[in-house]
Amino acid sequence: MKYIILILCIGWLFGQLVRYFLRSKLGQFAQQVKAAAREEERAQRSSKDEGEIHVDYVPKHYQERSSKDIRGGEYVDYEEVKD
């Protein structure tokens, strides 16, 4: 009987310790996630104003093209198919 009570007490104590450490680690993780989200939101707000467009890279072949090179396109003849 004494051994059963001892095992139950140790099991209960172990469960309490596991619960305490899990809560503390989950709390730290939640704080890290919130801090990262706040930092990302702050970076997004400060980097762009509403309606502003920023292009990081434009390929050279687009820069060298002029509007003279662009034609209206080709005419493709088609036939209507009736069922």
Side-chain angles (χ1 to χ4, degrees):
M1 186 70 168
K2 188 165 60 170
Y3 293 113
I4 294 174
I5 292 173
L6 182 64
I7 291 173
L8 288 175
C9 288
I10 291 173
W12 179 82
L13 183 62
F14 183 72
Q16 294 298 320
L17 289 174
V18 167
R19 187 179 306 154
Y20 172 75
F21 285 117
L22 283 178
R23 281 185 185 171
S24 65
K25 290 298 177 186
L26 286 176
Q28 289 175 357
F29 179 71
Q31 288 176 352
Q32 289 175 349
V33 168
K34 285 180 185 178
R38 272 189 251 121
E39 185 65 34
E40 184 178 332
E41 184 179 331
R42 188 177 309 129
Q44 286 178 351
R45 266 195 255 148
S46 65
S47 67
K48 282 197 236 175
D49 291 332
E50 181 120 3
E52 182 181 328
I53 298 173
H54 178 73
V55 178
D56 290 333
Y57 173 74
V58 177
K60 287 184 181 179
H61 67 277
Y62 284 117
Q63 293 173 349
E64 296 169 356
R65 282 174 109 183
S66 67
S67 61
K68 297 175 196 172
D69 297 338
I70 301 173
R71 289 186 245 143
E74 294 181 24
Y75 177 76
V76 179
D77 198 18
Y78 73 95
E79 241 180 75
E80 208 172 303
V81 179
K82 296 182 180 178
D83 288 328

